[in-house]
């Protein structure tokens, strides 16, 4: 009997600042984006759980752009999504990407779990890419200490959501 091969494990090191979004939370986050279709950005793609949640919620693969700077995580995402789930995957630091495209592109939906250490920079960069049409929405998983005047707190997550990071988190939504 031949056993199916297992996918190679993803190694997440301290330098990646990747706090993997649990699948249940990812699914709820995707649902908070609402029904508006259109260009959707996942700025810190990590292991791809938010991308999977977008797919599962009905977002067309052609509408998804994902950015990941960490080489190992980028390769894992490339391997995770099959050709029928082809997304635009960019291997670059999100802050650099946002700076390069800020006057040439925008997104109607952004779903993100940014690095907690540089939360303000990543949130500001993402908001700079959110288009100004009615219904444009950003949903983010952030530390409870993060605040923004336009943010609506949707959930405060349990203390063990990111037990290794020892940070308390919430899910917020910012709409235009």
């Amino acid at each position: 009997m031949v056993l199916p091969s297992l996918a190679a494990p993803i190694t997440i090191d301290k330098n990646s600042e990747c706090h993997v979004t649990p699948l249940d939370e990812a699914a709820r986050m995707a649902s908070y984006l609402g029904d508006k279709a259109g260009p959707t950005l996942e700025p810190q793609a990590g292991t791809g759980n938010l991308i999977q949640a977008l797919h599962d919620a009905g977002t067309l693969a052609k509408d998804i752009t994902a950015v990941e700077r960490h080489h190992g995580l980028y390769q894992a995402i490339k391997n995770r999504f099959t050709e029928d789930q082809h997304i635009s995957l960019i291997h670059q630091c999100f802050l650099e990407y946002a700076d390069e495209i800020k006057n040439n592109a925008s997104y109607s939906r952004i779903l993100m779990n940014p690095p907690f250490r540089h939360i303000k920079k990543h949130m500001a960069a993402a908001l700079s890419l959110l288009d100004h049409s009615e219904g444009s929405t950003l949903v983010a998983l952030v530390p409870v200490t993060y605040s923004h005047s336009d943010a609506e707190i949707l959930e405060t997550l349990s203390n063990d959501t990111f037990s290794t990071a020892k940070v308390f988190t919430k899910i917020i939504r910012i709409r235009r």
Side-chain angles (χ1 to χ4, degrees), residues 7-20 46-47 68 70-77:
I10 299 172
T11 303
I12 302 171
D13 58 45
K14 182 179 176 181
N15 294 328
S16 74
E17 293 187 60
C18 179
H19 303 291
V20 179
T47 62
E68 180 52 55
H70 188 275
H71 182 72
L73 294 173
Y74 171 83
Q75 288 300 325
I77 293 167

Side-chain angles (χ1 to χ4, degrees), residues 151-171:
E152 168 189 10
I153 299 172
L154 302 171
E155 295 183 36
T156 300
L157 300 176
S158 69
N159 298 347
D160 62 350
T161 303
F162 296 105
S163 58
T164 59
K166 299 189 186 333
V167 63
F168 300 114
T169 54
K170 62 187 175 185
I171 298 172

Side-chain angles (χ1 to χ4, degrees), residues 87-108:
I87 61 170
S88 175
L89 181 59
I90 297 161
H91 188 200
Q92 185 175 12
C93 168
F94 170 63
L95 297 176
E96 293 170 3
Y97 172 75
D99 190 50
E100 286 176 13
I101 70 157
K102 66 183 169 194
N103 297 319
N104 300 316
S106 64
Y107 296 89
S108 58

